[in-house]
Structures are given as structure tokens and as C-alpha cells.
Amino acid sequence: MNNICGLVTLVGSSNVGKSTLLNRILGHKISITSRHRLTTRKQIIGIKTTGTIQTIYLDTPGVIKKDYKKNNQIWINAIKIADCVIFVIDRMSWNIEEQLLFQHIKKINISIIIVINKIDWIKNKQSLLPWFKTLYEKIKCSEIIPISAKLGIGIKELESLIISHLPNNNHCFPAYQKTDQNKSFLIAELIREKIINKLHSEIPYFINVKLEKIINTLKILHIYALIIVKRNSQKNIILGIIKKICIESRVAIEKIFNKKIMLKVWVKVK
Ligand SMILES: Nc1nc2c(ncn2[C@@H]2O[C@H](COP(=O)(O)OP(=O)(O)OP(=O)(O)O)[C@@H](O)[C@H]2O)c(=O)[nH]1
Ligand SMILES: [Mg+2]
């Protein structure tokens, strides 16, 4: 039987649930998520192999209206190499970011699937029907699928649709591989996720996490991490929640790496 292998790029406005969807499809946490905007900052690769079918997903940062050319290169490039684009929207919201993205995709000859996410938050599901019609008229794309990435509704149907767009090709990665991210990046991201989910204000955008050192012993993975903020006031906020951050990060990292973790964290203004 022929092998199938293709590249699928997830795009959309910030906070619509792209990373939640990727994690849901993979059944594995690869990309961090939060209720704040601009959580994903780099392109994240997730790989799913089932028998003869391999799908390589690219999760991308959300569309940014400001300084459009400078701020949107990641998803623009990720679309160029895709076999299929998943355009995620949040229920019935169609703002300037969606319009910008749509104008961009329209110029390229590429298969797109529109994913209406967060339908668990729509009480009256009938209200979706006129929205389907409006979307169809707006974008002339018949592949529109309602889902809830959070609850796992509509995911099987979406995956079947995605596979129908993938070409016959040899697999690019071994079947066991779920991502190409290294351990340090994933750990730093998990810590960043725990921090931003604890914050309310603008601070999430100014936080960086850097791993200073990882020592892997037989029984324990020792992690030394640095949280970098821009101002002293931000440092004080982080210090106030550092205990909780450490506990939550350790639990999350242990779950993913299936190993006991010793985590030491410092905060620095830079
Ligand atoms: N109720 C509900 N919430 C969802 C669903 N999918 C995602 N969310 C929530 O929406 C928020 C944003 O999700 P993300 O996956 O981080 O969104 P994103 O599009 O990757 O955002 P950026 O990385 O900032 O571009 C999180 O709080 C998720 O838990 C869903 O199907 N239903
Ligand atoms: Mg994201």
C-alpha cells in the first residue's frame, strides 16, 4: 500500500485555539496554551503517524495586525510549504485579523479547511447555520467544520478531511516521533505556560524562560531555569507566585517526561 505524508499548517487569529487543537489531534502536549493572546511565539512541529499515514502539523503564532509584514513571517512561510491549511476561527468572530489572513490565502492556490472552534460555548447550535452560509459566501470554501478542540468534538471528522488532502509520499519521520523540538525548548515552554496562566495583565508578553542547565541522572532530571523579565516590578510579581509556578511546572514536566524532576528557578531583570 502507498504511504501518505503531508504538511498541514494551522493558522488563525491569536487565542482561537490553534495550539489546543494541535495537542488534541496528537493526544500529546507539544504546544503551550493560555487564555492570553500571543502565547505561541515560534513555529511548533507536531507529527502524527497512524499506519501508512503521516501528518506533519505546523502550529504558528496568531496573526498580528500591527507591523503586518514584520510580525507575520512565521505563518506566511509555513503556508507556502503546506499541502493543506487549517484556518481556525473562534465561533462566529471574523475580525480584521481573519480578513487579513483570508486575503493572503486567497492569493495562493492551496487547499483550506475552515475550522469553527469553541462550539462548546455556543448554546444554540442552530445559530451556526446562517454563519455557515455567510462563511461559504465570503470565502467560497465548502470545507467548513465545527469543533471543540477543548472537549474533542469533531476532531475525527476533521482528521478524515485533512487526510483527504495529503499526497502519496514516503514518511519523513520515524513513527514514534511526535515533534522535532528538543527537550530544553519544551521544558522552557511548559514553565512559561505555567507563568502566563497565573498572570492577568500585560506581563505575559515580556516573559522569557531560559534553561541554564539540565542534568539527566538515572532517576532524576535536574532542571535549572531562568525567568527573564523587563522590570523590577515584574520580577516582584513573579517572585510572589514562584512557589506555585515551580510546583505546577514540575508536575507538568514529570507528566510529559515520565520521570522525577528537580526544578530550580531564578528570576532576572534584563
Ligand atoms: N471553551 C473552549 N475553549 C477553548 C477551545 N479551544 C481552545 N480554547 C481555549 O482558548 C484559549 C486559547 O487557546 P490556544 O490554543 O492557546 O490558542 P492559540 O490560537 O494557539 O493562541 P496563540 O498561540 O496566542 O495564537 C485557551 O484558554 C484554551 O483553553 C474550545 O474548543 N473550547
Ligand atoms: Mg498557540
Side-chain angles (χ1 to χ4, degrees):
M1 222 195 318
N2 279 338
N3 275 343
I4 288 175
C5 181
L7 222 132
V8 176
T9 298
L10 293 152
V11 290
S13 197
S14 200
N15 221 35
V16 294
K18 301 178 292 298
S19 304
T20 308
L21 175 58
L22 175 65
N23 294 335
R24 170 64 67 182
I25 289 173
L26 298 181
H28 203 80
K29 185 146 183 137
I30 295 291
S31 192
I32 65 165
T33 67
S34 90
R35 64 197 151 77
H36 292 286
R37 295 183 70 251
L38 309 177
T39 302
T40 306
R41 292 180 183 168
K42 290 186 177 160
Q43 176 174 285
I44 307 284
I45 299 187
I47 306 148
K48 181 161 182 177
T49 309
T50 318
T52 54
I53 303 163
Q54 181 163 84
T55 319
I56 304 160
Y57 290 94
L58 303 182
D59 183 18
T60 62
V63 177
I64 301 174
K65 186 179 72 180
K66 198 173 156 219
D67 294 333
Y68 183 79
K69 266 223 158 119
K70 183 174 144 242
N71 284 328
N72 295 282
Q73 280 313 311
I74 296 179
W75 65 260
I76 288 177
N77 289 333
I79 279 178
K80 281 185 200 154
I81 53 173
D83 294 297
C84 174
V85 169
I86 310 295
F87 185 160
V88 186
I89 59 174
D90 181 345
R91 288 159 286 166
M92 287 166 241
S93 122
W94 188 274
N95 299 320
I96 181 78
E97 286 82 7
E98 276 79 18
Q99 194 54 34
L100 286 168
L101 181 51
F102 170 59
Q103 305 262 295
H104 186 93
I105 291 175
K106 209 167 58 172
K107 289 187 231 144
I108 329 170
N109 184 21
I110 188 146
S111 312
I112 72 164
I113 300 172
I114 303 282
V115 165
I116 304 175
N117 192 26
K118 307 194 188 182
I119 56 153
D120 52 295
W121 266 343
I122 301 176
K123 274 208 182 105
N124 175 13
K125 303 279 190 286
Q126 293 293 320
S127 63
L128 271 171
L129 295 174
W131 181 229
F132 277 118
K133 196 164 168 267
T134 311
L135 271 180
Y136 178 70
E137 279 161 10
K138 205 190 271 288
I139 57 186
K140 303 283 175 279
C141 157
S142 57
E143 297 195 330
I144 304 171
I145 182 156
I147 68 153
S148 166
K150 195 166 185 173
L151 301 188
I153 301 167
I155 305 300
K156 284 231 157 67
E157 293 79 354
L158 172 61
E159 282 195 87
S160 304
L161 204 53
I162 291 171
I163 290 164
S164 71
H165 288 283
L166 305 182
N168 288 332
N169 252 331
N170 290 330
H171 292 181
C172 299
F173 296 94
Y176 62 83
Q177 196 168 341
K178 297 263 193 313
T179 182
D180 75 333
Q181 280 166 203
N182 62 37
K183 215 185 249 178
S184 303
F185 177 75
L186 185 54
I187 293 170
E189 284 285 272
L190 286 168
I191 299 172
R192 189 165 68 84
E193 179 187 72
K194 299 306 162 209
I195 303 168
I196 59 184
N197 274 311
K198 288 247 158 316
L199 299 172
H200 302 285
S201 64
E202 300 256 294
I203 311 177
Y205 315 120
F206 301 111
I207 283 177
N208 281 306
V209 178
K210 212 176 129 204
L211 289 205
E212 295 276 272
K213 206 166 40 172
I214 303 186
I215 303 167
N216 197 1
T217 62
L218 202 60
K219 288 198 173 143
I220 303 176
L221 187 63
H222 298 259
I223 300 163
Y224 300 84
L226 192 62
I227 300 170
I228 302 160
V229 291
K230 292 243 187 261
R231 288 196 297 268
N232 259 320
S233 57
Q234 296 167 343
K235 180 178 172 176
N236 291 337
I237 293 172
I238 300 290
L239 287 175
I241 52 171
I242 196 126
K243 255 196 170 165
K244 280 187 183 154
I245 292 171
C246 279
I247 294 168
E248 287 183 15
S249 302
R250 196 169 43 73
V251 171
I253 301 165
E254 268 175 355
K255 200 169 152 195
I256 287 181
F257 292 98
N258 212 5
K259 191 162 187 176
K260 199 164 163 38
I261 303 291
M262 199 283 301
L263 175 64
K264 286 223 159 110
V265 174
W266 287 265
V267 190
K268 194 173 164 184
V269 180
K270 206 170 170 185

